[in-house]
Amino acid sequence: MARRSKRSDSEKLRQSLITLLIDFEHKLNQDNLREQVQSLMPAHHQLRDLGSSLIHEEDAESAKGRVLAYLRKYPATLLHGDELMIVAGISEYARRIRELRKEMGWPILSGQALKDMVADGDLCANIDNYKKVKTDTYYLIEDRQDIEAAYRWNLANEIRKSDQSVKIKILEYLRKNIGKKVTGEELKYLAKDRSEWARRVRELRTEEGWPIMTCNTGMPELAVGVYILTEDRQAKVHDRKIPDPVRIAVLTRDSFCCKKCGWNPEKRNSGDKLRNFLELHHIEHHVNGGKNEEDNLITLCNVCHDDVHRGNSSEAELFKLIGVNIKI
Ligand SMILES: [Zn+2]
Ligand SMILES: [Zn+2]
């Protein structure tokens, strides 16, 4: 049972804990197991109280409130489960995290979801930090409560039950949430926690051409662990099958800007309603033998991309834009 913490007096708790431990020396010498265990009980409770007394926020009266306060104090930081246990003051804090995530819409990733993303190379910067992720780790993606999350979790629950492949379920879920930020945790849930979810997301993007954006595949302003299907359309067949490392290299070379008009995702809210995202275009079309390589790929916004496909730019012109000299 959760015990209510006496959060105002951490120092008193600390002192009484020391006294208890000092007294415990006698018990240790007496060699009476039952008495030893019983005399540790108050120390055990006081240690818990001391942990939960450390959170001073107004809403920290419940274990859930304290876990949330702690996560919000350290967003985008890998936190060990034991840290949450200490501030919660209870050992069953994991259920509180599920409630925070599914009922209240806090975007909290589990260590397993992060591990799945790491295994699939689906993380940007600081990748070394994330390599050390343990299963018993939690990560608040950003300090933003998503009021639509509860609705989405219900939808995820419905789709999860259906008798389809993981890839189809993920696609269906994303297509019902066009333009919305969804978290890796939701996608993992759809896959019934099987770690293949991260690979399926990548396949949907690279092989089937769905514009599923992450911080390293077209929308650098997104937080780690966030996915957005930006539009309900697949890339043209010849622009599919670009491996993510190549995609990232091209976007980086082009500074995440359209090479024709200079648009970048930071300008998304600047009044240009037509330009929404960046795509990669094969200058020499894939079907004609064009390679999935940096020297044959150019970053374009969706408007310029459509324009190029209407035949308004020559291959030579596009190669010049990316600084590749080719004799055609
Ligand atoms: Zn453009
Ligand atoms: Zn194209």
Side-chain angles (χ1 to χ4, degrees):
M1 262 314 284
R3 287 159 47 91
R4 214 179 121 83
S5 70
K6 307 176 196 77
R7 63 195 177 90
S8 57
D9 43 15
S10 303
E11 175 55 20
K12 249 188 263 163
L13 286 164
R14 184 187 74 86
Q15 286 174 9
S16 96
L17 189 57
I18 290 170
T19 310
L20 285 167
L21 289 175
I22 290 171
D23 294 347
F24 189 62
E25 191 180 4
H26 303 294
K27 302 287 176 194
L28 267 183
N29 295 334
Q30 283 166 8
D31 207 23
N32 180 325
L33 175 62
R34 183 102 199 267
E35 273 191 29
Q36 285 173 348
V37 168
Q38 285 176 333
S39 70
L40 269 187
M41 283 163 55
H44 194 74
H45 290 313
Q46 292 210 2
L47 183 60
R48 272 190 343 198
D49 287 351
L50 178 57
S52 45
S53 77
L54 297 176
I55 302 278
H56 299 303
E57 274 79 357
E58 285 303 306
D59 55 356
E61 292 295 332
S62 68
K64 188 156 70 178
R66 288 190 295 275
V67 168
L68 177 60
Y70 194 70
L71 285 163
R72 292 189 66 189
K73 201 161 172 57
Y74 301 103
T77 308
L78 295 171
L79 301 175
H80 195 282
D82 287 351
E83 294 175 59
L84 301 180
M85 182 178 72
I86 284 171
V87 293
I90 55 170
S91 43
E92 319 87 77
Y93 62 89
R95 187 161 64 85
R96 305 308 196 284
I97 290 175
R98 284 197 294 278
E99 290 167 6
L100 287 168
R101 188 189 282 145
K102 296 189 179 179
E103 292 163 19
M104 297 173 68
W106 290 97
I108 305 166
L109 287 181
S110 62
Q112 189 58 52
L114 279 161
K115 275 172 88 87
D116 296 341
M117 288 159 61
V118 171
D120 213 62
D122 211 359
L123 282 180
C124 55
N126 299 331
I127 191 125
D128 285 340
N129 279 340
Y130 296 103
K131 277 186 182 151
K132 297 177 210 129
V133 172
K134 301 275 189 309
T135 312
D136 189 15
T137 299
Y138 296 88
Y139 183 91
L140 179 64
I141 292 177
E142 47 195 343
D143 189 8
R144 168 185 67 87
Q145 192 175 11
D146 181 347
I147 50 169
E148 291 181 12
Y151 158 77
R152 284 208 312 277
W153 279 102
N154 283 336
L155 176 66
N157 194 35
E158 286 305 308
I159 295 176
R160 184 184 202 251
K161 286 186 216 150
S162 69
D163 194 19
Q164 306 175 92
S165 71
V166 167
K167 199 198 278 190
I168 299 285
K169 285 183 201 176
I170 289 175
L171 181 58
E172 182 183 343
Y173 186 67
L174 290 171
R175 292 183 72 189
K176 287 190 167 147
N177 287 294
I178 302 285
K180 307 260 172 67
K181 289 181 178 181
V182 308
T183 65
E185 200 64 32
E186 293 160 62
L187 304 179
K188 169 173 160 283
Y189 179 74
L190 286 166
K192 297 194 174 165
D193 297 330
R194 288 201 297 270
S195 59
E196 64 176 291
W197 70 268
R199 193 165 71 249
R200 300 298 170 229
V201 171
R202 179 165 49 77
E203 288 167 0
L204 284 166
R205 174 172 55 238
T206 61
E207 293 176 15
E208 302 189 18
W210 291 98
I212 303 169
M213 302 296 165
T214 64
C215 56
N216 63 353
T217 57
M219 291 174 71
E221 74 275 27
L222 289 182
V224 165
V226 172
Y227 297 76
I228 298 184
L229 179 64
T230 49
E231 217 193 15
D232 195 8
R233 72 165 187 184
Q234 287 172 273
K236 293 153 188 85
V237 173
H238 74 271
D239 286 334
R240 298 181 196 170
K241 300 192 188 298
I242 303 168
D244 271 349
V246 175
R247 179 180 301 271
I248 293 161
V250 173
L251 285 164
T252 306
R253 179 200 66 200
D254 295 343
S255 310
F256 287 88
C257 290
C258 172
K259 289 301 281 182
K260 284 209 67 162
C261 72
W263 183 87
N264 69 44
E266 284 165 21
K267 299 181 183 160
R268 188 169 283 113
N269 298 318
S270 66
D272 185 342
K273 294 248 183 316
L274 297 172
R275 287 174 166 80
N276 287 310
F277 47 89
L278 296 171
E279 295 177 305
L280 298 195
H281 169 70
H282 288 84
I283 300 177
E284 187 185 356
H285 288 194
H286 200 49
V287 283
N288 301 335
K291 300 261 184 318
N292 276 324
E293 290 170 3
E294 271 182 78
D295 281 356
N296 189 43
L297 289 161
I298 182 168
T299 306
L300 297 171
C301 70
N302 52 305
V303 170
C304 293
H305 196 181
D306 285 344
D307 194 53
V308 164
H309 278 272
R310 281 192 289 270
N312 292 336
S313 303
S314 70
E315 288 186 8
E317 185 189 326
L318 296 174
F319 277 124
K320 209 170 151 205
L321 285 174
I322 61 166
V324 173
N325 288 316
I326 282 216
K327 295 188 200 90
I328 298 179

